[in-house]
Amino acid sequence: MENKGFYNVVARRLLKKPQFSYVQLDSYGSYVWRQIDGKRNIYEIGARLKKEHSKAGEMLYERLSMFFNILEKKKFIVFMEEDK
């Protein structure tokens, strides 16, 4: 992920911060990232996650929703409207 913007440029120059940051995902995040293919929706990915990681817990879909919101905010994904 590239560190852009005024404050990031200042931090890079003054504090010798890197231009790029690397994102590390836990086992759940890595599994979800590999399931994103443009065909599956969040519910289907959640069902697969629950099946693969039986200890995912009760808050699975809430956490999954937050994860997808973060991915969209950081422009790693774009939501598509489902054809009816």
Side-chain angles (χ1 to χ4, degrees), residues 2 18 24 29 46 48 51-52 55 58 65 67 75 84:
E2 187 174 5
Q24 282 191 295
R48 286 173 172 247
K51 185 177 178 183
E52 181 73 21
K55 297 178 184 175
E58 294 295 320
S65 175
F67 182 64
K75 299 187 186 324
K84 293 185 179 193

Side-chain angles (χ1 to χ4, degrees), residues 4-12:
K4 300 183 209 176
F6 175 75
Y7 294 110
N8 284 314
V9 171
V10 171
R12 281 198 326 247

